[in-house]
Amino acid sequence: MEENQIVNNQTSAHDDFDWNVDKRNVASYPKEVREQLEQSYEGTFKTIQESELIQGTVVGLTKTDAIVNIGFKSDGLVSLNEFRDIPNLKIGDEIEVLVLEKEDRDGQLSLSRRQARQVRSWQNVVDYFKSGEVVTGTITSKTKGGLIVDVNGLETFLPGSQIDVKPVTDYDQYVGKTMDFKVVKINEQIRNAVVSHKALIESDLEQQRGEIMSKLEKGQVLEGTIKNVTDFGAFVDLGGVDGLLYITDISWGRISHPNEVLSNGQKLNVVVLDFDDEKKRISLGLKQLTPHPWDNLPEEIQEGATVKGKVVNIEDYGAFLEVLPGVEGLVHVSEITWSSQPINAKEFFKMADEYSAKVVTLDKEERKMSLSIKQLTDDPWGAIEEKFPIDSRHKGIVKNITPYGVFVELETGIGGMIHISDLSWTKRYNHPSEFTKVGDEIEVSILSIDKENRKLSLGHKQLEDDPWNTFESVFPIGSHHEGTVIRKDEKGAVVQLQYGLEAFAPARHLRKENETTVSVDETLPFVIIEFDRNDKRIMVSHSKVWEQSRADEREAEHKANQADAENTKKAVKNIQSKVEKATLGDLGALADLKNKMKNEEEGK
């Protein structure tokens, strides 16, 4: 009971104590009030998200970091290494940062100015790409195929082909330079951008082209600079727009390459020949600034005059000689030589060779001139009969060989053809090249003269008498001769006989006695089976040689057999006669004996 009383006394002693007061004599708020106060406190801070760009203020500096207030519950630290572009960073400076983490492992707010600049730079590059706005960047280094450009902290790629409108080979000269660029390509996934300085130059040039093209007129003379010399002409810079000076419009004379008269960087006046506004093409001329040479042709160049020119063009029908720059004359193939033998102009003439020629025709209005080389000499065909009479003998040079004959030049402008059949009396050639070759000297006889058509018919075999008159008695049909097979095909073989004579043996006449066939280079006896003097043809057979021999043997054997039979028959008859005589004698002797015996008996 006493214990209960003590407890009750204690309880009643503390009923009026305020347990919400802490040791610092500070009262705690009720839960509802606390929540209300916390919400009010939280409302004084910004709501931020990780990877968000946000403005902050530098509120403090240490030896290694800048303390940045972004309006969050706590301040963040940013390394001073990220402020190297701001040498005089101070408290109160406004900067943009990227929220990396609201609380790192140490519970601190993690910020980055460097990454904020990269994100902001990429967003700006994307905007520049979409808008086409010009950006400024600094070339920091060289890389494979181009340069690296820093655009507001973002590394971009500048291809070598996009540095300038002119080809660039030395990239090092651009490192460290600050230039204007245009963003021409982006890759959102890897955040890569390609910039171009060339695009800005082309844009400026396009504007200049428009201004120049609007003022162009045909016949207008402009000053330009040779930009590039090519095989077909030269490109001329007219001050922002290029024109083409084609090779045929450079000089009135022929040139093989524009670099003969033009060089890169050369300044010159040109005339506008034509232009196309839509295609931005301008055709220029240089030779048009001087009069055409045909309009100022010297008086000494007239029909009948002798001129000297250089070969500038060769065609199948002749060659063009440049008498003066821009003045050309044609030497037709028929005016090269007095010879009637066809001449290949491309084999006779060589580019740049010089020739003297006679002006045959001249037409200043048509600007045409025909020339002749052969008319500078007398026509050798005028006295052809006196110099080369029929049956006369001459030596010449083989100039050409065709399947049907050999062309021989006796002297300049005079030549003729030896038909393949007139090469030899005894040998048949499949092609004249088997007999002679180009460049050989050959002796010929004049067979006929065609003065009107400037043709000579020549012969080589006619230098000797026709041996076929003699051959007819040497090689009569049926005679045997030794021959060598020199050629052979499925039809037969060509057999070389004595005196260089060739004969033909049909395939069926090449069979040997042992049933094999005669081979090339084999020497055997042959029999003449046909002799045609008019066609100069002899046909022979080896088979008939041994076939005839066999027949002769059989005939001799047959005759011998007949003789033996006759002899036997005679012998039999002789024997029979002897037998008959012997028999008659015996009978007579017997009769005598009988008579003797009879007489003896009667005498007794």
PDB file of all heavy atoms in Angstrom, residues 234-265:
ATOM      1  N   ALA A 234      41.513  24.888-121.529  1.00  0.00           N
ATOM      2  CA  ALA A 234      41.949  25.516-120.272  1.00  0.00           C
ATOM      3  C   ALA A 234      40.756  26.189-119.611  1.00  0.00           C
ATOM      4  O   ALA A 234      39.884  26.757-120.284  1.00  0.00           O
ATOM      5  CB  ALA A 234      43.053  26.538-120.543  1.00  0.00           C
ATOM      6  N   PHE A 235      40.720  26.115-118.273  1.00  0.00           N
ATOM      7  CA  PHE A 235      39.699  26.808-117.502  1.00  0.00           C
ATOM      8  C   PHE A 235      40.250  28.173-117.084  1.00  0.00           C
ATOM      9  O   PHE A 235      41.359  28.263-116.533  1.00  0.00           O
ATOM     10  CB  PHE A 235      39.298  25.998-116.273  1.00  0.00           C
ATOM     11  CG  PHE A 235      38.504  24.769-116.608  1.00  0.00           C
ATOM     12  CD1 PHE A 235      39.129  23.540-116.750  1.00  0.00           C
ATOM     13  CD2 PHE A 235      37.132  24.853-116.823  1.00  0.00           C
ATOM     14  CE1 PHE A 235      38.406  22.401-117.073  1.00  0.00           C
ATOM     15  CE2 PHE A 235      36.402  23.720-117.149  1.00  0.00           C
ATOM     16  CZ  PHE A 235      37.024  22.504-117.268  1.00  0.00           C
ATOM     17  N   VAL A 236      39.466  29.201-117.349  1.00  0.00           N
ATOM     18  CA  VAL A 236      39.898  30.570-117.094  1.00  0.00           C
ATOM     19  C   VAL A 236      39.026  31.161-116.000  1.00  0.00           C
ATOM     20  O   VAL A 236      37.780  31.153-116.088  1.00  0.00           O
ATOM     21  CB  VAL A 236      39.801  31.422-118.374  1.00  0.00           C
ATOM     22  CG1 VAL A 236      40.300  32.833-118.111  1.00  0.00           C
ATOM     23  CG2 VAL A 236      40.594  30.773-119.502  1.00  0.00           C
ATOM     24  N   ASP A 237      39.659  31.694-114.945  1.00  0.00           N
ATOM     25  CA  ASP A 237      38.953  32.355-113.850  1.00  0.00           C
ATOM     26  C   ASP A 237      38.685  33.797-114.261  1.00  0.00           C
ATOM     27  O   ASP A 237      39.612  34.587-114.486  1.00  0.00           O
ATOM     28  CB  ASP A 237      39.818  32.312-112.581  1.00  0.00           C
ATOM     29  CG  ASP A 237      39.091  32.897-111.379  1.00  0.00           C
ATOM     30  OD1 ASP A 237      37.957  33.373-111.540  1.00  0.00           O
ATOM     31  OD2 ASP A 237      39.672  32.868-110.271  1.00  0.00           O
ATOM     32  N   LEU A 238      37.403  34.116-114.355  1.00  0.00           N
ATOM     33  CA  LEU A 238      37.002  35.458-114.774  1.00  0.00           C
ATOM     34  C   LEU A 238      36.679  36.356-113.587  1.00  0.00           C
ATOM     35  O   LEU A 238      36.030  37.387-113.744  1.00  0.00           O
ATOM     36  CB  LEU A 238      35.788  35.355-115.715  1.00  0.00           C
ATOM     37  CG  LEU A 238      36.005  34.539-116.986  1.00  0.00           C
ATOM     38  CD1 LEU A 238      34.715  34.421-117.763  1.00  0.00           C
ATOM     39  CD2 LEU A 238      37.102  35.147-117.845  1.00  0.00           C
ATOM     40  N   GLY A 239      37.120  35.942-112.392  1.00  0.00           N
ATOM     41  CA  GLY A 239      36.859  36.738-111.198  1.00  0.00           C
ATOM     42  C   GLY A 239      35.651  36.240-110.434  1.00  0.00           C
ATOM     43  O   GLY A 239      34.779  37.037-110.052  1.00  0.00           O
ATOM     44  N   GLY A 240      35.609  34.930-110.208  1.00  0.00           N
ATOM     45  CA  GLY A 240      34.488  34.357-109.469  1.00  0.00           C
ATOM     46  C   GLY A 240      33.714  33.348-110.274  1.00  0.00           C
ATOM     47  O   GLY A 240      32.915  32.589-109.732  1.00  0.00           O
ATOM     48  N   VAL A 241      33.920  33.312-111.555  1.00  0.00           N
ATOM     49  CA  VAL A 241      33.251  32.340-112.419  1.00  0.00           C
ATOM     50  C   VAL A 241      34.267  31.839-113.439  1.00  0.00           C
ATOM     51  O   VAL A 241      35.110  32.601-113.915  1.00  0.00           O
ATOM     52  CB  VAL A 241      32.013  32.966-113.122  1.00  0.00           C
ATOM     53  CG1 VAL A 241      32.416  34.129-113.992  1.00  0.00           C
ATOM     54  CG2 VAL A 241      31.257  31.919-113.919  1.00  0.00           C
ATOM     55  N   ASP A 242      34.190  30.537-113.736  1.00  0.00           N
ATOM     56  CA  ASP A 242      35.139  29.928-114.673  1.00  0.00           C
ATOM     57  C   ASP A 242      34.527  29.811-116.060  1.00  0.00           C
ATOM     58  O   ASP A 242      33.324  29.540-116.215  1.00  0.00           O
ATOM     59  CB  ASP A 242      35.547  28.531-114.201  1.00  0.00           C
ATOM     60  CG  ASP A 242      36.388  28.581-112.943  1.00  0.00           C
ATOM     61  OD1 ASP A 242      36.873  29.672-112.615  1.00  0.00           O
ATOM     62  OD2 ASP A 242      36.542  27.530-112.280  1.00  0.00           O
ATOM     63  N   GLY A 243      35.366  30.013-117.056  1.00  0.00           N
ATOM     64  CA  GLY A 243      34.973  29.789-118.437  1.00  0.00           C
ATOM     65  C   GLY A 243      35.924  28.794-119.067  1.00  0.00           C
ATOM     66  O   GLY A 243      37.072  28.640-118.633  1.00  0.00           O
ATOM     67  N   LEU A 244      35.455  28.106-120.096  1.00  0.00           N
ATOM     68  CA  LEU A 244      36.279  27.111-120.774  1.00  0.00           C
ATOM     69  C   LEU A 244      36.788  27.660-122.098  1.00  0.00           C
ATOM     70  O   LEU A 244      36.017  28.073-122.958  1.00  0.00           O
ATOM     71  CB  LEU A 244      35.482  25.827-121.024  1.00  0.00           C
ATOM     72  CG  LEU A 244      36.205  24.750-121.839  1.00  0.00           C
ATOM     73  CD1 LEU A 244      37.480  24.302-121.130  1.00  0.00           C
ATOM     74  CD2 LEU A 244      35.298  23.558-122.103  1.00  0.00           C
ATOM     75  N   LEU A 245      38.101  27.649-122.215  1.00  0.00           N
ATOM     76  CA  LEU A 245      38.757  28.026-123.468  1.00  0.00           C
ATOM     77  C   LEU A 245      39.152  26.727-124.158  1.00  0.00           C
ATOM     78  O   LEU A 245      40.144  26.088-123.793  1.00  0.00           O
ATOM     79  CB  LEU A 245      39.982  28.898-123.171  1.00  0.00           C
ATOM     80  CG  LEU A 245      40.851  29.322-124.369  1.00  0.00           C
ATOM     81  CD1 LEU A 245      40.041  30.098-125.381  1.00  0.00           C
ATOM     82  CD2 LEU A 245      42.043  30.132-123.882  1.00  0.00           C
ATOM     83  N   TYR A 246      38.337  26.310-125.140  1.00  0.00           N
ATOM     84  CA  TYR A 246      38.561  25.021-125.790  1.00  0.00           C
ATOM     85  C   TYR A 246      39.795  25.093-126.684  1.00  0.00           C
ATOM     86  O   TYR A 246      40.158  26.157-127.189  1.00  0.00           O
ATOM     87  CB  TYR A 246      37.334  24.617-126.603  1.00  0.00           C
ATOM     88  CG  TYR A 246      37.275  23.152-126.921  1.00  0.00           C
ATOM     89  CD1 TYR A 246      37.152  22.208-125.913  1.00  0.00           C
ATOM     90  CD2 TYR A 246      37.361  22.698-128.235  1.00  0.00           C
ATOM     91  CE1 TYR A 246      37.111  20.850-126.197  1.00  0.00           C
ATOM     92  CE2 TYR A 246      37.313  21.343-128.535  1.00  0.00           C
ATOM     93  CZ  TYR A 246      37.192  20.435-127.511  1.00  0.00           C
ATOM     94  OH  TYR A 246      37.163  19.090-127.782  1.00  0.00           O
ATOM     95  N   ILE A 247      40.443  23.935-126.877  1.00  0.00           N
ATOM     96  CA  ILE A 247      41.717  23.883-127.591  1.00  0.00           C
ATOM     97  C   ILE A 247      41.618  24.450-129.007  1.00  0.00           C
ATOM     98  O   ILE A 247      42.549  25.098-129.483  1.00  0.00           O
ATOM     99  CB  ILE A 247      42.253  22.427-127.611  1.00  0.00           C
ATOM    100  CG1 ILE A 247      43.652  22.387-128.226  1.00  0.00           C
ATOM    101  CG2 ILE A 247      41.293  21.493-128.332  1.00  0.00           C
ATOM    102  CD1 ILE A 247      44.330  21.033-128.085  1.00  0.00           C
ATOM    103  N   THR A 248      40.475  24.253-129.669  1.00  0.00           N
ATOM    104  CA  THR A 248      40.325  24.743-131.042  1.00  0.00           C
ATOM    105  C   THR A 248      40.124  26.251-131.101  1.00  0.00           C
ATOM    106  O   THR A 248      40.188  26.833-132.185  1.00  0.00           O
ATOM    107  CB  THR A 248      39.153  24.041-131.736  1.00  0.00           C
ATOM    108  OG1 THR A 248      37.965  24.228-130.955  1.00  0.00           O
ATOM    109  CG2 THR A 248      39.419  22.550-131.878  1.00  0.00           C
ATOM    110  N   ASP A 249      39.861  26.873-129.947  1.00  0.00           N
ATOM    111  CA  ASP A 249      39.657  28.323-129.910  1.00  0.00           C
ATOM    112  C   ASP A 249      40.851  29.057-129.314  1.00  0.00           C
ATOM    113  O   ASP A 249      40.767  30.244-129.001  1.00  0.00           O
ATOM    114  CB  ASP A 249      38.393  28.657-129.098  1.00  0.00           C
ATOM    115  CG  ASP A 249      37.126  28.214-129.797  1.00  0.00           C
ATOM    116  OD1 ASP A 249      37.001  28.498-130.999  1.00  0.00           O
ATOM    117  OD2 ASP A 249      36.278  27.576-129.155  1.00  0.00           O
ATOM    118  N   ILE A 250      41.971  28.342-129.139  1.00  0.00           N
ATOM    119  CA  ILE A 250      43.164  28.974-128.586  1.00  0.00           C
ATOM    120  C   ILE A 250      43.973  29.655-129.677  1.00  0.00           C
ATOM    121  O   ILE A 250      44.419  30.793-129.534  1.00  0.00           O
ATOM    122  CB  ILE A 250      44.028  27.929-127.850  1.00  0.00           C
ATOM    123  CG1 ILE A 250      43.274  27.413-126.613  1.00  0.00           C
ATOM    124  CG2 ILE A 250      45.356  28.536-127.425  1.00  0.00           C
ATOM    125  CD1 ILE A 250      43.999  26.299-125.876  1.00  0.00           C
ATOM    126  N   SER A 251      44.162  28.949-130.807  1.00  0.00           N
ATOM    127  CA  SER A 251      45.007  29.480-131.871  1.00  0.00           C
ATOM    128  C   SER A 251      44.400  29.127-133.219  1.00  0.00           C
ATOM    129  O   SER A 251      43.736  28.102-133.374  1.00  0.00           O
ATOM    130  CB  SER A 251      46.416  28.896-131.745  1.00  0.00           C
ATOM    131  OG  SER A 251      47.195  29.204-132.876  1.00  0.00           O
ATOM    132  N   TRP A 252      44.647  30.005-134.204  1.00  0.00           N
ATOM    133  CA  TRP A 252      44.199  29.695-135.561  1.00  0.00           C
ATOM    134  C   TRP A 252      44.968  28.510-136.116  1.00  0.00           C
ATOM    135  O   TRP A 252      44.462  27.750-136.925  1.00  0.00           O
ATOM    136  CB  TRP A 252      44.393  30.919-136.475  1.00  0.00           C
ATOM    137  CG  TRP A 252      43.476  32.065-136.182  1.00  0.00           C
ATOM    138  CD1 TRP A 252      43.810  33.284-135.720  1.00  0.00           C
ATOM    139  CD2 TRP A 252      42.050  32.084-136.341  1.00  0.00           C
ATOM    140  NE1 TRP A 252      42.707  34.076-135.561  1.00  0.00           N
ATOM    141  CE2 TRP A 252      41.599  33.363-135.954  1.00  0.00           C
ATOM    142  CE3 TRP A 252      41.111  31.155-136.768  1.00  0.00           C
ATOM    143  CZ2 TRP A 252      40.263  33.723-135.978  1.00  0.00           C
ATOM    144  CZ3 TRP A 252      39.777  31.511-136.798  1.00  0.00           C
ATOM    145  CH2 TRP A 252      39.358  32.776-136.407  1.00  0.00           C
ATOM    146  N   GLY A 253      46.190  28.337-135.663  1.00  0.00           N
ATOM    147  CA  GLY A 253      46.980  27.185-136.070  1.00  0.00           C
ATOM    148  C   GLY A 253      46.668  25.995-135.190  1.00  0.00           C
ATOM    149  O   GLY A 253      46.095  26.123-134.103  1.00  0.00           O
ATOM    150  N   ARG A 254      47.097  24.811-135.665  1.00  0.00           N
ATOM    151  CA  ARG A 254      46.853  23.587-134.894  1.00  0.00           C
ATOM    152  C   ARG A 254      47.897  23.458-133.789  1.00  0.00           C
ATOM    153  O   ARG A 254      49.084  23.694-134.011  1.00  0.00           O
ATOM    154  CB  ARG A 254      46.902  22.353-135.794  1.00  0.00           C
ATOM    155  CG  ARG A 254      45.737  22.249-136.765  1.00  0.00           C
ATOM    156  CD  ARG A 254      45.890  20.997-137.602  1.00  0.00           C
ATOM    157  NE  ARG A 254      44.871  20.897-138.623  1.00  0.00           N
ATOM    158  CZ  ARG A 254      43.834  20.060-138.577  1.00  0.00           C
ATOM    159  NH1 ARG A 254      43.692  19.270-137.538  1.00  0.00           N
ATOM    160  NH2 ARG A 254      42.967  20.014-139.557  1.00  0.00           N
ATOM    161  N   ILE A 255      47.413  23.073-132.590  1.00  0.00           N
ATOM    162  CA  ILE A 255      48.313  22.760-131.485  1.00  0.00           C
ATOM    163  C   ILE A 255      47.915  21.388-130.948  1.00  0.00           C
ATOM    164  O   ILE A 255      46.749  21.025-130.941  1.00  0.00           O
ATOM    165  CB  ILE A 255      48.264  23.814-130.370  1.00  0.00           C
ATOM    166  CG1 ILE A 255      46.829  23.968-129.833  1.00  0.00           C
ATOM    167  CG2 ILE A 255      48.813  25.136-130.843  1.00  0.00           C
ATOM    168  CD1 ILE A 255      46.723  24.907-128.657  1.00  0.00           C
ATOM    169  N   SER A 256      48.913  20.615-130.514  1.00  0.00           N
ATOM    170  CA  SER A 256      48.617  19.268-130.021  1.00  0.00           C
ATOM    171  C   SER A 256      48.189  19.279-128.568  1.00  0.00           C
ATOM    172  O   SER A 256      47.473  18.380-128.124  1.00  0.00           O
ATOM    173  CB  SER A 256      49.855  18.370-130.192  1.00  0.00           C
ATOM    174  OG  SER A 256      50.967  18.918-129.512  1.00  0.00           O
ATOM    175  N   HIS A 257      48.624  20.292-127.800  1.00  0.00           N
ATOM    176  CA  HIS A 257      48.235  20.388-126.389  1.00  0.00           C
ATOM    177  C   HIS A 257      48.204  21.869-125.995  1.00  0.00           C
ATOM    178  O   HIS A 257      49.088  22.652-126.391  1.00  0.00           O
ATOM    179  CB  HIS A 257      49.205  19.622-125.499  1.00  0.00           C
ATOM    180  CG  HIS A 257      48.677  19.336-124.128  1.00  0.00           C
ATOM    181  ND1 HIS A 257      48.641  20.297-123.141  1.00  0.00           N
ATOM    182  CD2 HIS A 257      48.132  18.212-123.584  1.00  0.00           C
ATOM    183  CE1 HIS A 257      48.113  19.786-122.042  1.00  0.00           C
ATOM    184  NE2 HIS A 257      47.789  18.514-122.289  1.00  0.00           N
ATOM    185  N   PRO A 258      47.212  22.278-125.190  1.00  0.00           N
ATOM    186  CA  PRO A 258      47.110  23.694-124.793  1.00  0.00           C
ATOM    187  C   PRO A 258      48.339  24.220-124.071  1.00  0.00           C
ATOM    188  O   PRO A 258      48.608  25.425-124.107  1.00  0.00           O
ATOM    189  CB  PRO A 258      45.873  23.712-123.877  1.00  0.00           C
ATOM    190  CG  PRO A 258      45.053  22.562-124.325  1.00  0.00           C
ATOM    191  CD  PRO A 258      46.045  21.504-124.717  1.00  0.00           C
ATOM    192  N   ASN A 259      49.104  23.318-123.388  1.00  0.00           N
ATOM    193  CA  ASN A 259      50.248  23.820-122.634  1.00  0.00           C
ATOM    194  C   ASN A 259      51.387  24.297-123.541  1.00  0.00           C
ATOM    195  O   ASN A 259      52.403  24.800-123.056  1.00  0.00           O
ATOM    196  CB  ASN A 259      50.767  22.756-121.652  1.00  0.00           C
ATOM    197  CG  ASN A 259      51.198  21.470-122.339  1.00  0.00           C
ATOM    198  OD1 ASN A 259      51.409  21.438-123.552  1.00  0.00           O
ATOM    199  ND2 ASN A 259      51.308  20.397-121.567  1.00  0.00           N
ATOM    200  N   GLU A 260      51.216  24.144-124.867  1.00  0.00           N
ATOM    201  CA  GLU A 260      52.208  24.678-125.789  1.00  0.00           C
ATOM    202  C   GLU A 260      52.194  26.203-125.791  1.00  0.00           C
ATOM    203  O   GLU A 260      53.217  26.837-126.072  1.00  0.00           O
ATOM    204  CB  GLU A 260      51.960  24.159-127.208  1.00  0.00           C
ATOM    205  CG  GLU A 260      52.140  22.650-127.358  1.00  0.00           C
ATOM    206  CD  GLU A 260      51.823  22.171-128.758  1.00  0.00           C
ATOM    207  OE1 GLU A 260      51.673  23.030-129.656  1.00  0.00           O
ATOM    208  OE2 GLU A 260      51.700  20.948-128.962  1.00  0.00           O
ATOM    209  N   VAL A 261      51.022  26.787-125.478  1.00  0.00           N
ATOM    210  CA  VAL A 261      50.892  28.255-125.512  1.00  0.00           C
ATOM    211  C   VAL A 261      50.336  28.825-124.214  1.00  0.00           C
ATOM    212  O   VAL A 261      50.373  30.037-124.009  1.00  0.00           O
ATOM    213  CB  VAL A 261      50.002  28.696-126.697  1.00  0.00           C
ATOM    214  CG1 VAL A 261      50.682  28.395-128.020  1.00  0.00           C
ATOM    215  CG2 VAL A 261      48.647  28.002-126.649  1.00  0.00           C
ATOM    216  N   LEU A 262      49.801  27.982-123.321  1.00  0.00           N
ATOM    217  CA  LEU A 262      49.193  28.462-122.083  1.00  0.00           C
ATOM    218  C   LEU A 262      49.853  27.807-120.878  1.00  0.00           C
ATOM    219  O   LEU A 262      50.393  26.704-120.978  1.00  0.00           O
ATOM    220  CB  LEU A 262      47.686  28.162-122.064  1.00  0.00           C
ATOM    221  CG  LEU A 262      46.842  28.754-123.198  1.00  0.00           C
ATOM    222  CD1 LEU A 262      45.406  28.278-123.067  1.00  0.00           C
ATOM    223  CD2 LEU A 262      46.904  30.272-123.188  1.00  0.00           C
ATOM    224  N   SER A 263      49.772  28.495-119.726  1.00  0.00           N
ATOM    225  CA  SER A 263      50.305  27.952-118.481  1.00  0.00           C
ATOM    226  C   SER A 263      49.452  28.431-117.317  1.00  0.00           C
ATOM    227  O   SER A 263      48.817  29.501-117.391  1.00  0.00           O
ATOM    228  CB  SER A 263      51.767  28.370-118.285  1.00  0.00           C
ATOM    229  OG  SER A 263      51.871  29.784-118.250  1.00  0.00           O
ATOM    230  N   ASN A 264      49.408  27.660-116.256  1.00  0.00           N
ATOM    231  CA  ASN A 264      48.631  28.015-115.073  1.00  0.00           C
ATOM    232  C   ASN A 264      49.119  29.343-114.493  1.00  0.00           C
ATOM    233  O   ASN A 264      50.321  29.590-114.384  1.00  0.00           O
ATOM    234  CB  ASN A 264      48.731  26.920-114.015  1.00  0.00           C
ATOM    235  CG  ASN A 264      48.003  25.659-114.427  1.00  0.00           C
ATOM    236  OD1 ASN A 264      47.108  25.689-115.263  1.00  0.00           O
ATOM    237  ND2 ASN A 264      48.382  24.534-113.843  1.00  0.00           N
ATOM    238  N   GLY A 265      48.135  30.175-114.103  1.00  0.00           N
ATOM    239  CA  GLY A 265      48.468  31.482-113.536  1.00  0.00           C
ATOM    240  C   GLY A 265      48.640  32.578-114.561  1.00  0.00           C
ATOM    241  O   GLY A 265      48.763  33.761-114.202  1.00  0.00           O
TER     242      GLY A 265
END
